[in-house]
Amino acid sequence: MILGDLGLVIAIILLAIGAYGLLNSKNIIRVLLSSEIIVNASILMVFSASSILNHVYLPIFFSIFAIGMALIEVVVAFAAIFLYYRTKGSLEVE
């Protein structure tokens, strides 16, 4: 039970760090990293909540789904960054 509560606290801290980086960054790479921190915080929240509620199979199914979605997000984001760099010549967001 303590580990689940600690996981929720760490997930909330990670969510706040990711949101801060997402809102205050002008570099596309930092925006991508901040969004990945938010995705990882949501995964940690589900694992911690399922630990508190004593669910066994929910984290397994969600982790497979989350890993697939994170992979798709990274591929699409890097493609968008590559196209943005080719058109603008810089990675700074205006």
Side-chain angles (χ1 to χ4, degrees):
M1 189 73 131
I2 294 172
L3 188 60
D5 294 336
L6 182 63
L8 285 176
V9 170
I10 292 172
I12 291 171
I13 291 170
L14 282 174
L15 185 69
I17 290 170
Y20 177 78
L22 203 66
L23 294 173
N24 290 330
S25 181
K26 293 192 184 280
N27 192 337
I28 288 184
I29 303 294
R30 288 185 184 167
V31 170
L32 175 66
L33 289 174
S34 298
S35 67
E36 286 297 320
I37 289 173
I38 291 172
V39 168
N40 290 331
S42 67
I43 293 170
L44 183 59
M45 277 187 192
V46 168
F47 285 142
S48 298
S50 64
S51 172
I52 292 171
L53 298 174
N54 293 325
H55 289 277
V56 177
Y57 297 111
L58 178 66
I60 296 168
F61 293 127
F62 185 73
S63 65
I64 292 170
F65 178 73
I67 289 169
M69 291 303 293
L71 179 66
I72 291 169
E73 177 191 3
V74 167
V75 168
V76 170
F78 277 131
I81 288 170
F82 182 71
L83 289 175
Y84 186 82
Y85 182 73
R86 285 183 69 186
T87 57
K88 300 286 186 179
S90 173
L91 292 178
E92 298 297 319
V93 179
E94 286 129 14

